[in-house]
Amino acid sequence: MESILRQAHEQVLPAWFAPKPSAPFLAYGLTQSASLNSGIPEPSLRLLLTVLAGYPISIFYRLIFLNKTSSIVGESARNSFFLVSGLLMSYYFNSYDIIHPLTTCIGTWLICRVVSLVAPKNRSLASSLSFVFNFGYLLTSYKYAATEEYDICYTMQQCVQCLRMIGYGMDFMDGQPKSGKKKDVTPASEEKKKVDTPAPAAPAPTPAGPAVVRDKTPISFGRDIALAQLPTLAETIGYAFFPFAFLVGPQFSFSLYKKFISMELFNVPIPASAVGSDEAKAAAAATANGIPQGSLRYATRCFALGIFYLGLGQVLGGFFPTAALLGKAFLERSFAERVFIFWWTGKTILNKYLGIWTIGEGPCVLSGITFNGYDAQGRPEWDGLRNVNPINYEFATSLTQIVTSFNMNTNFWAKLYVFKRLRFLGNKNLSALGVLLFLAIWHGTHIGYFFCFGLEFMDMETERRMSARFGKPINAFIARQTGVAHVVAKAVWGVITWLLTTSALYFAAVPFDLLQLDKSIQAVQTINYLGIYVMLALLFLDIFLSIVMPKKRSKSIKTE
């Protein structure tokens, strides 16, 4: 038995999980040439080209398939388009390693299918097995495919798909009938054959009664995401390999995907508050294919903003490379200079994520899946899967604002599928710690990830305490001021909280990028562990004050 396990560890598993050479006709010759000319590493350039390929593909889909009035194009045709195009894009990026996301996608569906047949009243078993299968597969991939550097290989898609399929399994569990009545959990393909026709063309949206404005961003995980019925295998692959989100996100539920390919997503009335307005009339006069207008303008904005962030990252990366923090020349600078460079290095690290996520949002918008209903004036909104809120992110004055404006859909996924599932712990801090531990492991096994998320947990706790002890009184003081004094006090406090927030964020970003513990400690040591000492000082200050100045408990009388 021991020899079998050793052979599996030394031969079988490495042969399966180690990245494979590219297919002969995918030698990336053009990509290599562009890489040499631009100075961008070939894997990074291939990643960018894969994401950019989403633009022409989404435009083609928009012209042919995104049509509510067609009597030819139906739900299965749309799903087939995403299935084929997603597999082709994944094959370009992964080559032979496409086998890994295919394995976990089909494996998750098979788990749900078998459990629905063997133990139809125990869908929690399918969810548990799906979690273990996907998370275990991802960690095994990291073990045999990861290097000491940031890897751009099949594990990128595997990382994104891991969350998607875990959520898929939990949604299937949540769709378990609660009553004694049996519900059909067989795949849709095994139902009585139905003619695949598109959803009937809905009339132009008109204000009908007190229409409710749809919940705003993100729409990735709504309230109706439970899967009462197991989707077909083709739908599951189309969802997992959705060509505009399989590589860098955003995360979203199968329920949203189903509404999208069935065109139900667009059956949203204009709110009653917009009756008679010019915006409402313009929204009602949708495009010829029955889809609201405005997505092209929003997608163009995503593309331009993403290119700006990536370009800025390239420029700043030349001035503030992470590796420079480890050089002897860096130590020869003054302490103030080292802190300044460290801050800008952290910001530069995160710029590339802002850029690639924002560019990746564009094809999603062009496809139509990001449709987020109408605002109060009747204007269509297309920010339903926005992963970054640049304004809120750049001017955040608390880490809580960072969480709600950076990698938004992944944070929402973690809140729904991890944080709320840990309520049995009976403590929000323990649940939050569980989420951060899960996300650290999900990113990879490098110590730098744990260093980063550990700092984030401590920083969030320190911020919570400082906000309660000092933030509320200071904000109350500012609110009592009038005229110029109010403006000045608010501006000064805003700058202070912004500087503290960004410093904590960018300080933690450096170990996230360096990955290795020795490199992370060496970099943090160059600024004398400033971020850690400030955080600990504030934390112990609050603990000290809570001892010498305990809060008085107000006596309250309970009334009905």
Side-chain angles (χ1 to χ4, degrees), residues 334-381:
S334 67
F335 179 73
E337 284 182 307
R338 295 200 300 271
V339 171
F340 177 81
I341 294 173
F342 202 99
W343 189 94
W344 274 103
T345 301
K347 180 171 181 57
T348 302
I349 290 169
L350 297 181
N351 272 351
K352 59 187 178 185
Y353 296 100
L354 294 171
I356 200 68
W357 288 336
T358 308
I359 288 179
E361 184 186 1
C364 293
V365 175
L366 289 173
S367 73
I369 195 173
T370 65
F371 178 59
N372 198 18
Y374 302 90
D375 64 12
Q377 287 72 44
R379 292 185 294 258
E381 295 192 313

Side-chain angles (χ1 to χ4, degrees), residues 10 33 113 122 137 206 218 287 339 355 372 375 394-395 433 443 477 483 503 517 522:
E10 296 177 354
S33 177
R113 177 70 179 126
N122 189 15
Y137 198 102
T206 56
T287 56
V339 171
N372 198 18
D375 64 12
E394 296 292 355
F395 297 98
L433 184 61
H443 276 89
F477 169 79
S503 297
L517 179 61
Q522 183 181 345

Side-chain angles (χ1 to χ4, degrees), residues 474-475 477-497:
I474 292 175
N475 286 326
F477 169 79
I478 294 173
R480 292 193 297 268
Q481 307 305 306
T482 58
V484 177
H486 174 78
V487 175
V488 172
K490 186 176 181 179
V492 171
W493 181 238
V495 170
I496 292 173
T497 52

Side-chain angles (χ1 to χ4, degrees), residues 61 80 82 92 113 221 224 260 272 287 310 324 351 443 484 524:
Y61 171 82
S80 297
F82 291 131
Y92 168 73
R113 177 70 179 126
F221 301 97
D224 56 346
F260 173 54
T287 56
L310 288 182
N351 272 351
H443 276 89
V484 177
V524 171

Side-chain angles (χ1 to χ4, degrees), residues 114-132:
V114 171
V115 171
S116 69
L117 293 174
V118 177
K121 294 183 179 181
N122 189 15
R123 292 195 188 183
S124 59
L125 175 61
S127 176
S128 300
L129 292 176
S130 297
F131 181 93
V132 172

